[in-house]
Amino acid sequence: MPRYPWREHNKTCRRVTADPDVNFSAPGLRRGYIAAQPLALGVFIYGVTFGLLAVNAGLSILEAMLMSATVYSGSAQTATVSGLAAGAGIGASVATILMLNARYLLYGAALRPWLGQASAAQAYSSLYLLGDSNWVLAMKAHANGEADAGFIFGSGIAMFIPWVGGTLLGSLANEWVADPKVLGLDFLLVAFCTAMGMGLVKSRHDFQPVGVAVVIALIVDRFAPGGWTIVAAGLAGALSAFARKEDPT
Amino acid sequence: MSLRLELLPLLLAVTLASFACRAGGFCLMRFVNVTPRIQAALKAAPLAVMVGIIVPAAVRGGLAEWLGLAVAAIVMRLARRDLVAALSGVATVALSRLMLA
């Protein structure tokens, strides 16, 4: 057994693959788009929530939609919009986004071995469309044997459309929904994470990183609440898996 | 439907910041050799990030949020559908807030 078996695997893949586009194809894109549909409703509802919040915070409908199409991150946009309402400038807004979206560094790094097989244009457009839920979906699909990186792009599109569409509806509906909290919509991201997290725990190997992440999250949340908790918990869980002596496979 | 011109530099800045995060991790991994340990770390990251989202909500939440977490987890175990479980959790929170208020 070679020390790094996947290197051999990658070499074989590259040799067999004459057409570089075979790792990023239309059928793969379609599979991703279809697989992500069950998540689209949730993203749509989340988009509606953001639209409601954004108009409440003083953004116009067009500004809210532009933000959804460019920043494309629920938690970061929600925080930025609240900051704007409180008079935040460019510096504070950028810092907020960097903090809340730092988890995407982990997402992108995790996708490298797979998405790195696609062209730069394909890879970076997939990354532009990347969201929490379609990343989890794609990682799950890849673990179950999905090899086509078009899956990531397709599932991204399936999230992008309802996100921007939901923002539009939410900004328009602002007048007749008083408080999103009454509907429990502020709990949506947390509920999704709980559900998907339960689905991701497969063996006792997963317990240690989760335990470490819980402890670190509790500590960081106590002393430096805000976007850092997510980053710290993610890094702590990853480091704990990295430091473990036993074979992770 | 209006767009304030003075808001455009800010929108551009936050867009670039957001994309830098998306592309950054992917870019950096070109220069890092993916050993089994790094692979294990990357595999553990998603669950740990979710923990980081759930824990603050659980700490700040009251009975309604705790019930919502429990229902989302239990429904996921039974039904194995992300959306069904998440919406059950949200509905539980909404109902509990109504009843407990």
Side-chain angles (χ1 to χ4, degrees):
Chain A
M1 194 65 177
R3 189 151 170 229
Y4 301 131
W6 63 90
R7 276 192 187 159
E8 296 303 315
H9 170 71
N10 282 351
K11 273 183 206 157
T12 342
C13 284
R14 287 208 186 104
R15 203 167 45 227
V16 173
T17 318
D19 178 6
D21 278 354
V22 88
N23 286 321
F24 192 101
S25 71
L29 194 150
R30 206 172 306 125
R31 276 199 300 280
Y33 186 82
I34 292 167
Q37 286 312 309
L39 295 167
L41 177 64
V43 173
F44 181 78
I45 296 171
Y46 198 12
V48 171
T49 319
F50 172 72
L52 287 168
L53 296 171
V55 173
N56 265 331
L59 260 66
S60 72
I61 296 172
L62 190 62
E63 287 161 354
M65 285 181 67
L66 197 59
M67 191 181 237
S68 277
T70 55
V71 178
Y72 186 49
S73 166
S75 52
Q77 283 174 231
T78 308
T80 306
V81 157
S82 331
L84 281 178
I90 291 188
S93 302
V94 167
T96 308
I97 299 268
L98 289 178
M99 240 176 358
L100 279 163
N101 275 0
R103 65 185 187 283
Y104 280 96
L105 290 170
L106 297 172
Y107 294 0
L111 283 174
R112 180 85 223 185
W114 182 20
L115 193 56
Q117 294 168 22
S119 77
Q122 291 164 342
Y124 287 107
S125 54
S126 301
L127 289 167
Y128 184 88
L129 295 172
L130 193 67
D132 293 286
S133 43
N134 87 296
W135 177 70
V136 176
L137 183 81
M139 293 302 283
K140 261 162 67 179
H142 191 50
N144 291 332
E146 176 62 67
D148 194 322
F151 187 98
I152 307 167
F153 188 86
S155 57
I157 291 183
M159 304 284 96
F160 189 81
I161 296 168
W163 177 244
V164 178
T167 304
L168 174 63
L169 185 71
S171 345
L172 291 172
N174 180 262
E175 284 149 38
W176 35 270
V177 176
D179 185 6
K181 271 197 157 190
V182 175
L183 298 174
L185 290 179
D186 54 310
F187 194 71
L188 194 68
L189 180 64
V190 177
F192 251 111
C193 287
T194 310
M196 291 203 257
M198 288 302 281
L200 274 175
V201 176
K202 286 206 175 110
S203 71
R204 59 181 186 83
H205 285 296
D206 298 318
F207 292 149
Q208 184 201 313
V210 168
V212 172
V214 168
V215 172
I216 295 296
L218 283 171
I219 295 171
V220 176
D221 183 58
R222 174 80 178 73
F223 296 105
W228 288 114
T229 311
I230 298 172
V231 180
L235 281 175
L239 278 174
S240 120
F242 181 86
R244 186 165 44 196
K245 280 212 180 86
E246 55 189 304
D247 188 2
T249 46
Chain B
M1 281 280 184
S2 65
L3 183 63
R4 285 164 289 171
L5 280 179
E6 65 269 24
L7 201 71
L8 282 180
L10 187 138
L11 272 177
L12 184 68
V14 290
T15 300
L16 289 177
S18 187
F19 189 69
C21 293
R22 289 164 197 285
F26 181 78
C27 252
L28 286 174
M29 286 304 284
R30 268 180 89 166
F31 312 106
V32 181
N33 194 3
V34 185
T35 64
R37 277 169 181 273
I38 291 182
Q39 223 171 19
L42 293 177
K43 245 180 90 183
L47 253 177
V49 164
M50 287 171 193
V51 167
I53 293 172
I54 297 167
V55 165
V59 169
R60 269 169 209 71
L63 184 59
E65 287 75 15
W66 281 88
L67 283 173
L69 285 174
V71 168
I74 292 166
V75 172
M76 184 64 194
R77 275 280 166 221
L78 298 177
R80 301 239 142 242
R81 301 292 284 270
D82 296 337
L83 185 66
V84 176
L87 289 183
S88 312
V90 168
T92 306
V93 169
L95 278 176
S96 309
R97 280 177 186 167
L98 203 68
M99 311 278 250
L100 299 170

